[in-house]
Amino acid sequence: MPDDEVLHRALAHARAWRAGAPEHRVGPSADIEEMLATFGGPLPEQGSDPVSVIDELGVGAPPGLLNIQSGRFFGWVMGGTLPAALGADWLVSTWDQNAGLRDAMPTVAALEEVAGAWILELLGLPREADVGFVTGATMANFTGLAAGRFAVLDRVGWDVHRDGLTGAPRLHVLVGAERHDTVDLALRYLGLGAPRVVAADGQGRMDPAALDAALADVPDGEPVIVCLQAGNLHSGAFDPFPELVAAAHDRGAWVHVDGAFGLWALASPRLAPLARGVEAADSWATDAHKTLNVTYDCGIAVVRDPVAVRSAMGVHASYLPDAVGPGNHYEKVPELSRRARGVPVWAALRSLGSAGVAAQVDRLAERARGIADGLAGVTGVEVLNDVVYTQVCLAVGDGRTQEFCARLTGSGEVWMSPSRWQDRDVVRVSVSNAATTDDDVRRTVAAVRRAVAG
């Protein structure tokens, strides 16, 4: 077949990249200007042989790639890639199905529905909930909050789809002081404006007394959404869900949980108590391309009430066949057309099983604890958070953070992200890659020690 050699060359380059990941530089060796020079220039008038195009990518790209697959990459919250998820993602591209249509694309529809059911089972979320596969936690938050917007306005007799937001009852959105910025972004997309901020404690957990006071300030009869968090970006801390969810529901609020990486704690019997009570919420957002280590991009939106999410996201047209039962998959996400992101999730879960997912989550948390313990005795390094999950937050001295990060990432040995938390410049360590080993922990501690010493 004409494409055989193209696929063989792509496979060869992919194998080379994957095989070298453990010892490649973690950071890129070339910058954006060098990559533009490599791949840029005027659009050629005549095309090139497809094999040569793949070779051009395979040879030219690696210097500018961030080695997220390295066991010593701890930037942002980016996971590695499980072999089964990667292989499944190749098949998704090969099959090239539009995953929005259920009956017309039965293979990918079935795989996504099974993956969704497995997620609900694994995380202990309501079995009647709808599960949608989106690009990431931003759109998962958007989906859950859109469903919430519809539901709370519908309860007070306002049809947001017919009448919009102009003249609608005021909708109050309460968020923790340390929520992720994507929550605010989703609220902006939904036209809900800036939320009211509720105080958090020193680890970033919403204060139940502060939420009680904020709810008491909402006039009777006005709709409310409360946004909670499973896994603080800096500390990894979890909101106290039993108290917060009960208070919000007593006020008639919709409760949405941003659990981009933290919701996966529910898969581990050892770590699940961190998120106790989260299952009582109304919607949840998480990512598969973080803790589960599925290929980019894959976020997951879970909504307890299918009517709410399908009312918010659904579309019906004469050229689109209706699907009974679970409905078409585009009724659960913002996209009408999309790739079958849920298939690599199915493959990851099928390859690991529930015990394997629990072990993977446990190992990530153990590696984070190992890094924190190893750095505790390093002069010039301070661990700022209670390391309860996969996040470690470091301070390396006033005014030294950017220099330290540049020195550390410049070594090629380790990648960590600078940030700011609790009015201090900090360095974030997010242990999100199943490939991280005890030896990676040892090498990371040694690299930090060298970078601090200068």
Side-chain angles (χ1 to χ4, degrees):
M1 294 176 63
D3 60 356
D4 275 358
E5 185 58 27
V6 172
L7 296 178
H8 282 306
R9 294 304 300 153
L11 176 59
H13 290 299
R15 280 177 165 165
W17 171 253
R18 292 278 291 184
E23 295 304 327
H24 282 323
R25 283 181 55 89
V26 182
S29 59
D31 62 20
I32 180 64
E33 295 303 326
E34 292 173 276
M35 288 295 97
L36 288 170
T38 297
F39 296 116
L43 175 67
E45 182 177 350
Q46 301 299 321
S48 300
D49 173 66
V51 174
S52 70
V53 172
I54 296 302
D55 282 339
E56 186 177 352
L57 285 169
V59 173
L65 296 178
L66 182 58
N67 187 9
I68 299 171
Q69 286 73 37
S70 169
R72 297 180 306 284
F73 175 83
F74 306 110
W76 302 283
V77 190
M78 295 182 179
T81 308
L82 294 173
L86 176 59
D89 196 59
W90 286 358
L91 289 176
V92 167
S93 293
T94 302
W95 296 337
D96 197 25
Q97 304 284 284
N98 183 344
L101 292 165
R102 183 174 190 260
D103 294 335
M105 316 280 172
T107 293
V108 296
L111 287 165
E112 289 204 336
E113 286 177 21
V114 172
W118 284 352
I119 289 166
L120 297 179
E121 177 184 351
L122 184 68
L123 303 183
L125 299 179
R127 300 300 197 271
E128 71 274 14
D130 262 351
V131 180
F133 295 96
V134 293
T135 54
T138 300
M139 296 315 294
N141 282 325
F142 173 85
T143 301
L145 291 168
R149 183 186 67 174
F150 168 82
V152 297
L153 287 173
D154 184 63
R155 290 172 194 164
V156 296
W158 186 268
D159 186 337
V160 68
H161 303 317
R162 183 189 64 208
D163 300 323
L165 291 173
T166 302
R170 182 181 177 191
L171 200 166
H172 302 261
V173 181
L174 308 181
V175 301
E178 293 203 13
R179 79 281 182 191
H180 195 276
D181 290 336
T182 56
V183 170
D184 296 64
L185 189 61
L187 294 172
R188 191 191 317 162
Y189 292 162
L190 290 165
L192 296 178
R196 174 170 174 175
V197 176
V198 178
D201 67 12
Q203 294 295 312
R205 297 173 291 235
M206 185 185 285
D207 179 358
L211 178 63
D212 289 342
L215 289 169
D217 283 345
V218 175
D220 289 341
E222 293 189 357
V224 184
I225 294 174
V226 174
C227 298
L228 304 180
Q229 182 173 240
N232 180 277
L233 186 66
H234 292 95
S235 70
F238 293 68
D239 283 341
F241 296 111
E243 303 96 314
L244 298 173
V245 175
H249 281 167
D250 284 347
R251 179 57 181 76
W254 178 282
V255 178
H256 173 73
V257 177
D258 174 16
F261 62 94
L263 206 63
W264 294 98
L266 291 167
S268 160
R270 183 170 68 85
L271 296 171
L274 292 170
R276 183 175 64 88
V278 74
E279 70 281 354
D282 301 292
S283 57
W284 304 262
T286 191
D287 277 324
H289 58 228
K290 289 184 169 68
T291 310
L292 187 60
N293 280 215
V294 163
T295 47
Y296 270 91
D297 53 28
C298 187
I300 302 168
V302 181
V303 180
R304 179 188 297 275
D305 180 4
V307 172
V309 69
R310 296 182 200 185
S311 297
M313 296 286 112
V315 59
H316 299 276
S318 59
Y319 65 92
L320 295 174
D322 288 332
V324 297
N328 282 311
H329 291 191
Y330 59 68
E331 296 183 73
K332 308 169 190 180
V333 298
E335 300 159 309
L336 187 58
S337 300
R338 65 170 178 84
R339 67 187 281 106
R341 298 187 186 99
V343 175
V345 176
W346 179 92
L349 295 176
R350 183 68 179 84
S351 70
L352 292 173
S354 60
V357 177
Q360 179 166 303
V361 176
D362 284 345
R363 281 195 302 272
L364 296 176
E366 289 164 5
R367 303 293 188 254
R369 181 72 261 170
I371 290 172
D373 288 346
L375 294 176
V378 176
T379 302
V381 178
E382 181 183 1
V383 177
L384 299 178
N385 64 310
D386 298 332
V387 182
V388 297
Y389 192 51
T390 59
Q391 307 298 105
V392 184
C393 195
L394 308 174
V396 293
D398 293 340
R400 299 189 59 201
T401 302
Q402 295 296 330
E403 175 192 352
F404 166 81
C405 285
R407 188 180 300 119
L408 185 67
T409 59
S411 72
E413 179 79 350
V414 174
W415 186 285
M416 296 176 182
S417 303
S419 187
R420 191 163 177 81
W421 186 51
Q422 307 274 338
D423 293 324
R424 297 184 69 175
D425 290 334
V426 298
V427 182
R428 286 182 47 238
V429 182
S430 298
V431 185
S432 304
N433 191 344
T436 299
T437 64
D438 286 334
D439 185 58
D440 287 319
V441 171
R442 180 191 61 76
R443 291 174 63 174
T444 296
V445 171
V448 170
R449 190 185 298 272
R450 290 192 299 271
V452 168

